[in-house]
């Protein structure tokens, strides 16, 4: 299809931004594509930063999302090391950090998220780290040496993955968590306790109910102080306290934002000429109608496909059930669906055996599933969640019964319909 004079401009070359560019070409878009990225170098994968890259002997380069030849072959103009300072919606242009302006036919904001910064005294001392970029990971890798005292603030995915890597390198690791268990935001107590014990077997110490109030040190971080007066000696401090969506560009342009850029099912923002995709977005789940912001590769790629489909006036794929994963000390936790704290928790199998699942029921229907050390329940769970199947709790708790045979008769199937583009809107 012939393209307009101005290109589709994509701000951000993470998983979602690159996927939009690739998706446009795959769907026959012949117009220009301009991919802008504030970081220098070739766009790279982020999940390995807290996993493979920190290991001894691992190469210092994270795997690239696409080789340079791909961008050349697909006629994707890629500019690295330059930021977008502002958006002129009326003129359909973006102002770049080098002072130049670029016109856009459609603008896609894929700016992702950044690590939430510590705000306590001493947080700016050398030795206090976040982990979001390749440079962050390389600096952390340099600091994680045998015998180093490592204090990790926050027991989420990133904090625990770094704890595992640090322990494997012979570091003395202490995890300080404000809640009463690990990964409390994303999983249930049985899974939390299983991973807590796994880490403890590898020498990791946990302190729960810990509110960090200060980081002390003369020239660099030396101690972490908590509200109850406890002091923890530390050569390295990692802040793993979550992320913040990079929505400032959109907010300053007057787009609707609420802990993320608000988008519809096609990725369209409050301006029909501007899309947003990936970690920076907030949207209504097509599965259960909840307002959510998802931080996962699967969602970043799925949203990118919907954006590319809408721009080209084509139908998008049926939305997938969100899924997430983490690997700690070689044990894989994989999750399908989005759990809520008030879901009913059904344990399948014995955690002591190292391989088990947890099924989450909401109003009797499968809402999410955790699989630990095995994936037998993962694929069927995704189908059950999409269909909205009702589950027999007793059968679901028996690991000898396949999940597909633990459903109740007369289940209500409410799989979401495919999202189709409005060609008139898409091509205007």
């Amino acid at each position: 299809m012939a393209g307009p004079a101005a290109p589709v401009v994509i701000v951000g070359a993470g998983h979602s931004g690159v996927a939009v560019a690739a998706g446009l070409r795959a769907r026959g878009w012949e117009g220009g594509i301009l991919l802008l990225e504030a970081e220098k170098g070739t766009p790279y994968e982020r999940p390995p930063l807290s996993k493979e890259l920190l290991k001894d002997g691992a190469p210092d380069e994270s795997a690239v999302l696409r080789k340079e030849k791909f961008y050349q072959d697909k006629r994707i103009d890629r500019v690295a090391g330059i930021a977008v300072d502002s958006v002129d919606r009326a003129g359909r242009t973006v102002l770049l950090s080098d002072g130049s302006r670029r016109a856009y036919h459609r603008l896609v904001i894929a700016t992702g998220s950044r690590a939430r910064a510590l705000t306590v005294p001493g947080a700016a001392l050398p030795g206090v780290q976040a982990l979001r970029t390749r440079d962050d990971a390389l600096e952390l890798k340099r600091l994680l040496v045998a015998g180093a005292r490592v204090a990790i603030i926050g027991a989420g995915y990133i904090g625990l993955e770094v704890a595992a890597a640090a322990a494997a390198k012979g570091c003395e690791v202490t995890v300080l968590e404000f809640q009463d268990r690990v990964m409390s935001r994303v999983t249930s107590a049985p899974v939390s306790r299983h991973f807590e014990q796994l880490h403890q077997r590898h020498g990791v110490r946990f302190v729960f109910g810990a509110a960090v109030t200060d980081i002390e040190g003369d020239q660099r971080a030396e101690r972490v102080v908590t509200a109850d007066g406890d002091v923890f000696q530390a050569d390295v401090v990692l802040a793993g306290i979550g992320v913040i969506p990079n929505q400032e560009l959109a907010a300053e342009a007057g787009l609707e934002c609420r802990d993320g850029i608000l988008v519809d099912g096609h990725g369209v923002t409050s301006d029909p000429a501007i899309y947003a995709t990936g970690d920076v977005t907030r949207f209504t789940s097509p599965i259960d109608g909840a307002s959510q912001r998802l931080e996962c590769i699967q969602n970043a790629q799925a949203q990118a496909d919907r954006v590319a489909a809408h721009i080209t006036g084509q139908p998008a794929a049926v939305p997938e059930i969100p899924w997430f994963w983490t690997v700690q000390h070689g044990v894989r936790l994989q999750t399908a669906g989005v759990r809520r704290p008030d879901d009913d928790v059904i344990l399948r199998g014995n955690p002591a055996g190292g391989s088990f699942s947890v099924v989450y029921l909401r109003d009797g229907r499968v809402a999410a599933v955790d699989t630990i050390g095995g994936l037998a329940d993962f694929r069927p769970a995704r189908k059950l969640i999409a269909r909205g199947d009702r589950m027999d709790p007793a059968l679901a708790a028996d690991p000898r019964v396949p999940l597909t045979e633990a459903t109740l008769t007369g289940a209500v199937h409410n799989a979401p319909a495919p999202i189709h583009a409005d060609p008139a809107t898409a091509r205007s």
Side-chain angles (χ1 to χ4, degrees), residues 1-4 24-25 27-33 75 312:
M1 65 185 69
L24 286 169
R25 288 293 184 236
R27 290 177 175 273
W29 178 257
E30 292 296 333
I33 300 175
R75 295 176 292 110
T312 56

Side-chain angles (χ1 to χ4, degrees), residues 109 132 159 217 222 293 369 390 406:
I109 301 175
R132 194 63 181 170
E222 298 175 6
R293 187 169 61 79
V369 171
R390 289 189 176 276

